Amino acid sequence: MNNQGPPGPYIPRHMPEALKGLVGLALDLRWSWHHGSDQLWSTLDREMWESTANAWLVLNSVSGQRLQELAGDADFLALLAAQIAEQDAYNLRDTWCDSRHGEQAVDPVAFFCMEFGITESLPLYSGGLGVLAGDYLKAANDLGVPVVAVGLLYQQGFFRQALNLDGEQLEFHPYNDPTMLPLAPLRDDAGEWVRVAIELPGRQVHLRTWRGRVGRCELLLLDSNDPRNEPGDRGITSELYSGQLEKRLQQELVLGSGGWRLLEQLGLNCRILHLNEGHCAFAALERIRSFRQQHGLSFEQARHSVRPGNLFTTHTPVASGIDQYPPALVRLYLGSCCADLDLSVDQLLALGRDPCNGLGTTDHDSTEPLNMAWLAIRLCGRVNAVSQVHGKVSRKLFRPLFPRWPEADIPIEVVTNGVHTPSWDSPESDAVWTRACGKGRWCGAQDLPAEPLCAVTDEELWRMRFRQRQRLIGYARARLVAQHCEQDNPAQVAEACGLMLDSEALTLGFARRFTAYKRPDLLLYDEERLVRLLNDHNRPLQIVLSGKAHPNDSTGKAILRRWYRFINRPDVVGKVVFIEDYDLQVASQMVQGVDVWLNSPRHPWEACGTSGMKVLVNGGLNLSQFDGWWAEAYQPGVGWAIRPFPEFSRLDDSPAHDGPDAEELFDLLENQVIPAFYDCDEQGLPNAWIGMMRASMGQLTPYYSANRMVREYCEHFYLPMRQQLEARTPEVGRELDAWHSELTLHWQQLRFGQLVIAQEGDETVFRVQLHLDGLRPEWASVELVADPDGEWPPQKVVMSRSGPLAGTNTYTYECRVVTGRPAAHFTPRVVAAHPLASLPLEFPGILWFR
Ligand SMILES: *Cc1c(COP(=O)(O)O)cnc(C)c1O
């Protein structure tokens, strides 16, 4: 285990000696979720802590006089000492990783991502991808998996939202003052601020580095706002997800090339490089560049040498969601990188293009862009999607890279996303779970009993729900007052908002990006039917909504306006509310308070969706399209699914199913959800509902956690990948390069001869000849395969080789199959073989017997 120790001697302001320990506490972002130090920050400056939830800002803005006072306050010093002791104990404790993989996990995993959503006071994210990266990092810390995360420090995070009186979205871009973010400049041993430089056309760009701490893990952030840079370059990291393609490419170069250089400059020997989404694929390119120079290899030799150490996680379900750069931009920005790699720009482009256009050659004069996801796949040794459904979608999406391969064999694995449970639980549910399963239950291997909540009574669970709902309603009312403060009479507004929502009513939550495929307007499909549900006097439904539309998404904005008009209908006032400016804080309040979480994307377009997982720990139930994670988690009794078990064969985004899906959503609400909530026994307890809460909380919470996700990445990816990488010495890199060239040279010439099928007893014998041209016979493998057909499962048998036929390079391959299956089901095929290669990723050739 590498000991990253406390942050360097970074003391930003004069601190009394007795309080210096506050610096180390304020710079460890664990305060954002563990709540142990809340009282400490609140004592320093209550108002600042409550309005910003930023411990670092509290520490930097509190007056010197107040610090002096507290330095002599025995109670405060005791509180501080207790927190420091707690932090030390936490950071030194024996973790899951130490006990399970102690000897192996020495060097940190490098985890790259464009955005990180850890806390609202570090607003460097826009949505799901960033929140997931934040949850990943927190869970890695809990488990003791050493991770160094690399990202960008944006001067502006994602836009902040308000709605005007017409329901139009207004967008604001507040400035992130980096010195007030809970980060410290990264300094070297001599106290110098660490900088890295990358080359852009005709110039160098200097990058400043910042360091955030998530317990034992680190978050390193690069920032181009260095006064030594040209003014334009200072703005490269100015905003998150710039709409300008060129700036986007600059950002990805800063992140990828700058990030990997930084890790090397710091002497961190990261063996595993995890690319979270294709944006960061240039990190893998930089890794090759560096390895090549160290070992005097060609580009291809170096690519083969490091590839098993790279993992690519794709999060995108649609081709248009992938970054693609036109050749001219690539030529301009990557020309010097290519020269360093001894690679032509066309060769680089070919790594991010469809191999069937120009048959993978580099001489086709194409305008085809460089696809960052394809580049990532060609530089990585393993690839994964983020839910089972997304796995299927991705195998379709990435099929062009594996021409003629059956979809099921396309090497995209799956790790279903999860959420960092301790960041999303409410104080009430934390208390219930602590009593049932003890403290620290979410940090280790999560070996919970099958029914973890059996000691908790129905009454307690129902009281927990009530308090959570009540708190959300209080929060929503306060937010609504603030949202409407521009209106004429503030007192009236406050009074009106105080009457909104009902603490006893079934509360449905919907919060996400407002964009067409997520169908935030599915409930508006039949407005009158919705109005009837909201106005049912005995069994009312109420709705809390939130979500932003991307600034360029006019459809999303139109949906916002529709909801806004609906909310202001006189007959539903106070029953549907919209909380502006959806962010981590709003999300956290909503997932704690709602009874039902609604998600209604168009199938199969939700890659995973994690927001619904956040309600599990709090006893909220999911009512969702059978898509993303819910397609794995759903079973009757844990929640409700719209159109369970659908088939999809084509990827289309047509609204054809919107009507029937909306119908089904209303039917579920009317016939199942609402009755279950209001059907109470004599004690006022809805037994069926509470039964579902128990099932959902107990069965789903541990599995749909980032804790489980990180353990999967660790055990199924990082550790085996490290072993594979160990075996890839530069010599093996050379050997595999030669192997690859030979295969490329001869593959088109491979030719099947005759196929002979004979029945011998109850065995069917298949014999086929294959002309290997000049290829070594060990480098090809002939397989006999059968597709699934009716009751027959898919089958694959490796055929054994004999020969060659005299004077030729033609071999006979044979196998015997004992099934009653018709011989016509079976077809031989030849694929590449090598004991050390990961196939078909590293050579996707395939030839079928026809
Ligand atoms: C969890 C979360 C998301 C991702 O939710 P989806 O289910 O993917 O829509 C987005 N934004 C915030 C603020 C979140 O907390």
Side-chain angles (χ1 to χ4, degrees):
M1 179 55 65
N2 68 322
N3 182 6
Q4 287 149 17
Y10 181 57
I11 311 274
R13 59 178 294 183
H14 178 73
M15 294 285 293
E17 198 54 42
L19 299 185
K20 287 207 165 137
L22 280 169
V23 174
L25 282 180
L27 285 173
D28 184 342
L29 291 163
R30 203 164 69 93
W31 51 252
S32 67
W33 76 88
H34 86 126
H35 298 297
S37 57
D38 288 4
Q39 198 194 339
L40 196 72
W41 310 119
S42 180
T43 309
L44 271 165
D45 186 338
R46 188 187 178 114
E47 201 206 320
M48 189 58 105
W49 173 243
E50 282 177 0
S51 61
T52 66
N54 179 344
W56 184 240
L57 188 58
V58 167
L59 189 60
N60 281 284
S61 54
V62 67
S63 72
Q65 194 192 344
R66 178 81 182 132
L67 286 178
Q68 287 304 339
E69 246 169 66
L70 289 170
D73 178 335
D75 287 347
F76 185 81
L77 293 178
L79 202 58
L80 175 59
Q83 275 309 305
I84 292 175
E86 195 276 343
Q87 186 190 35
D88 288 346
Y90 178 85
N91 286 335
L92 295 173
R93 80 195 193 290
D94 223 10
T95 62
W96 170 84
C97 195
D98 297 331
S99 55
R100 288 286 285 271
H101 306 291
E103 341 62 75
Q104 299 179 66
V106 275
D107 46 62
V109 172
F111 181 87
F112 280 64
C113 191
M114 273 300 252
E115 44 170 316
F116 286 91
I118 294 172
T119 148
E120 208 35 65
S121 52
L122 189 55
L124 304 175
Y125 71 96
S126 92
L129 182 69
V131 177
L132 179 86
D135 278 10
Y136 162 92
L137 203 51
K138 293 172 187 176
N141 167 49
D142 288 340
L143 290 162
V145 177
V147 171
V148 180
V150 182
L152 298 179
L153 183 111
Y154 302 99
Q155 273 75 60
Q156 297 167 358
F158 203 48
F159 77 91
R160 313 309 306 216
Q161 175 205 51
L163 298 187
N164 74 7
L165 292 174
D166 301 319
E168 296 289 343
Q169 173 171 286
L170 308 176
E171 290 142 19
F172 303 95
H173 297 271
Y175 169 66
N176 282 334
D177 176 353
T179 62
M180 292 300 128
L181 299 177
L183 303 170
L186 179 67
R187 293 181 189 278
D188 62 19
D189 292 340
E192 286 293 316
W193 198 349
V194 174
R195 287 181 162 84
V196 281
I198 63 160
E199 293 79 35
L200 291 190
R203 62 200 193 265
Q204 277 214 321
V205 175
H206 300 276
L207 304 169
R208 311 191 295 186
T209 56
W210 302 83
R211 178 192 204 213
R213 267 190 90 191
V214 178
R216 308 211 284 194
C217 295
E218 289 196 76
L219 172 62
L220 302 179
L221 297 166
L222 294 163
D223 152 25
S224 70
N225 190 17
D226 185 313
R228 286 182 297 176
N229 290 333
E230 289 174 18
D233 291 340
R234 291 183 64 177
I236 292 175
T237 55
S238 64
E239 58 190 324
L240 178 56
Y241 294 140
S242 162
Q244 301 164 35
L245 209 56
E246 183 159 349
K247 189 156 167 185
R248 181 87 163 229
L249 177 60
Q250 293 172 342
Q251 289 186 335
E252 293 183 4
L253 283 165
V254 167
L255 175 65
S257 307
W260 187 261
R261 274 185 206 188
L262 173 64
L263 297 177
E264 294 208 330
Q265 196 171 312
L266 295 174
L268 293 171
N269 180 27
C270 298
R271 315 296 314 279
I272 300 299
L273 167 58
H274 188 161
L275 306 175
N276 201 41
E277 199 42 294
H279 310 132
C280 28
F282 294 133
L285 212 55
E286 182 65 26
R287 181 179 193 174
I288 295 173
R289 199 187 65 94
S290 152
F291 195 85
R292 186 181 106 75
Q293 284 179 343
Q294 252 171 301
H295 298 278
L297 301 174
S298 72
F299 171 80
E300 283 298 334
Q301 291 166 345
R303 176 164 80 108
H304 282 107
S305 305
V306 300
R307 194 166 174 178
N310 299 337
L311 168 63
F312 169 44
T313 300
T314 171
H315 292 262
T316 316
V318 285
S320 63
I322 298 171
D323 283 330
Q324 307 211 23
Y325 295 114
L329 268 188
V330 176
R331 226 169 277 286
L332 178 62
Y333 277 90
L334 285 131
S336 76
C337 169
C338 284
D340 262 2
L341 287 166
D342 196 17
L343 191 70
S344 73
V345 175
D346 289 317
Q347 285 169 318
L348 174 65
L349 282 166
L351 289 171
R353 282 175 166 175
D354 187 335
C356 294
N357 284 349
L359 292 167
T361 56
T362 54
D363 54 356
H364 73 301
D365 175 26
S366 164
T367 53
E368 187 188 343
L370 176 83
N371 177 312
M372 290 298 282
W374 294 3
L375 177 66
I377 292 178
R378 261 103 169 219
L379 300 179
C380 286
R382 305 274 294 272
V383 181
N384 79 286
V386 293
S387 74
Q388 296 295 340
V389 174
H390 183 233
K392 281 196 204 166
V393 171
S394 302
R395 279 175 219 120
K396 283 187 198 296
L397 205 58
F398 296 132
R399 204 170 176 178
L401 299 195
F402 302 91
R404 294 174 295 280
W405 278 86
E407 212 159 276
D409 289 341
I410 290 176
I412 313 257
E413 302 168 76
V414 169
V415 177
T416 303
N417 284 340
V419 297
H420 182 245
T421 317
S423 291
W424 299 104
D425 61 358
S426 70
E428 293 83 5
S429 81
D430 181 38
V432 163
W433 281 99
T434 302
R435 208 149 36 72
C437 305
K439 272 205 164 300
R441 65 197 168 272
W442 306 130
C443 293
Q446 294 199 350
D447 300 319
L448 302 189
E451 289 189 38
L453 296 171
C454 55
V456 182
T457 64
D458 281 4
E459 213 176 333
E460 284 173 282
L461 282 177
W462 199 235
R463 195 161 350 115
M464 171 189 95
R465 277 254 43 96
F466 175 77
R467 296 223 171 105
Q468 291 171 316
R469 191 186 312 120
Q470 199 179 31
R471 224 157 23 74
L472 169 62
I473 290 172
Y475 175 79
R477 287 174 181 167
R479 288 287 294 236
L480 292 169
V481 172
Q483 281 172 211
H484 297 300
C485 60
E486 77 272 13
Q487 289 172 13
D488 353 323
N489 188 335
Q492 242 172 22
V493 168
E495 197 182 302
C497 291
L499 297 175
M500 288 184 170
L501 304 174
D502 172 353
S503 310
E504 305 273 352
L506 170 59
T507 307
L508 179 113
F510 180 96
R512 51 186 29 82
R513 191 151 51 84
F514 274 55
T515 190
Y517 89 87
K518 296 211 179 214
R519 298 192 298 195
D521 51 351
L522 204 62
L523 277 171
L524 295 178
Y525 218 84
D526 188 343
E527 286 197 19
E528 298 316 312
R529 202 166 165 189
L530 179 59
V531 170
R532 282 200 296 280
L533 296 181
L534 298 169
N535 284 331
D536 184 327
H537 188 69
N538 295 320
R539 308 188 311 173
L541 176 72
Q542 61 187 0
I543 305 177
V544 181
L545 294 165
S546 190
K548 298 173 178 176
H550 190 277
N552 304 331
D553 183 351
S554 54
T555 318
K557 289 182 170 178
I559 300 176
L560 269 177
R561 283 196 301 272
R562 264 191 83 192
W563 266 116
Y564 189 81
R565 273 201 303 275
F566 181 81
I567 289 170
N568 287 301
R569 274 175 65 143
D571 53 350
V572 303
V573 157
K575 295 183 171 143
V576 185
V577 300
F578 185 89
I579 302 181
E580 293 172 1
D581 200 29
Y582 182 48
D583 66 3
L584 280 170
Q585 196 206 11
V586 176
S588 119
Q589 295 291 332
M590 285 183 68
V591 301
Q592 294 176 26
V594 300
D595 299 295
V596 174
W597 189 260
L598 172 67
N599 188 17
S600 48
R602 235 169 239 155
H603 183 83
W605 294 112
E606 187 78 311
C608 179
T610 52
S611 53
M613 300 176 186
K614 299 168 189 165
V615 306
L616 298 172
V617 67
N618 297 312
L621 298 177
N622 279 277
L623 162 56
S624 286
Q625 199 75 33
F626 189 87
D627 201 10
W629 77 282
W630 191 236
E632 288 158 51
Y634 168 73
Q635 45 188 301
V638 299
W640 300 273
I642 306 168
R643 191 154 48 103
F645 310 106
E647 282 298 315
F648 71 94
S649 48
R650 283 177 316 128
L651 292 180
D652 65 16
D653 186 16
S654 92
H657 239 285
D658 293 359
D661 285 356
E663 184 90 10
E664 200 168 322
L665 168 58
F666 278 108
D667 288 347
L668 283 169
L669 283 170
E670 287 169 3
N671 305 329
Q672 299 193 31
V673 181
I674 296 175
F677 185 86
Y678 286 107
D679 185 9
C680 295
D681 65 10
E682 306 90 82
Q683 276 94 52
L685 298 174
N687 296 313
W689 189 279
I690 297 173
M692 289 181 89
M693 278 173 60
R694 279 185 194 281
S696 163
M697 292 173 84
Q699 293 166 25
L700 305 183
T701 309
Y703 188 80
Y704 294 97
S705 66
N707 174 297
R708 185 270 313 153
M709 170 181 80
V710 171
R711 282 183 288 135
E712 264 183 51
Y713 276 124
C714 201
E715 300 200 308
H716 301 320
F717 291 83
Y718 302 157
L719 294 171
M721 283 169 65
R722 282 195 55 202
Q723 278 184 345
Q724 258 201 313
L725 187 69
E726 298 283 289
R728 290 277 174 116
T729 55
E731 286 63 51
V732 175
R734 287 198 181 93
E735 185 188 321
L736 282 172
D737 176 40
W739 164 82
H740 196 278
S741 311
E742 286 291 300
L743 280 166
T744 310
L745 186 66
H746 298 293
W747 197 258
Q748 300 302 326
Q749 265 61 257
L750 300 193
R751 202 159 16 82
F752 274 112
Q754 239 189 344
L755 172 64
V756 179
I757 304 173
Q759 199 65 34
E760 292 181 10
D762 55 358
E763 290 181 333
T764 315
V765 185
F766 294 81
R767 235 174 253 118
V768 70
Q769 289 178 353
L770 177 67
H771 167 66
L772 284 170
D773 197 43
L775 193 66
R776 276 200 230 171
E778 318 77 277
W779 287 354
S781 168
V782 178
E783 301 165 341
L784 186 71
V785 294
D787 286 339
D789 189 333
E791 83 248 43
W792 300 107
Q795 258 182 297
K796 184 171 93 179
V797 188
V798 177
M799 303 178 84
S800 57
R801 184 183 70 234
S802 57
L805 303 184
T808 68
N809 199 25
T810 297
Y811 289 77
T812 304
Y813 293 81
E814 178 181 312
C815 71
R816 292 162 181 269
V817 185
V818 224
T819 60
R821 196 166 183 172
H825 281 191
F826 294 90
T827 317
R829 69 184 190 189
V830 54
V831 296
H834 194 284
L836 293 176
S838 166
L839 290 161
L841 211 48
E842 296 188 277
F843 189 87
I846 190 167
L847 175 70
W848 293 88
F849 177 87
R850 284 286 175 255

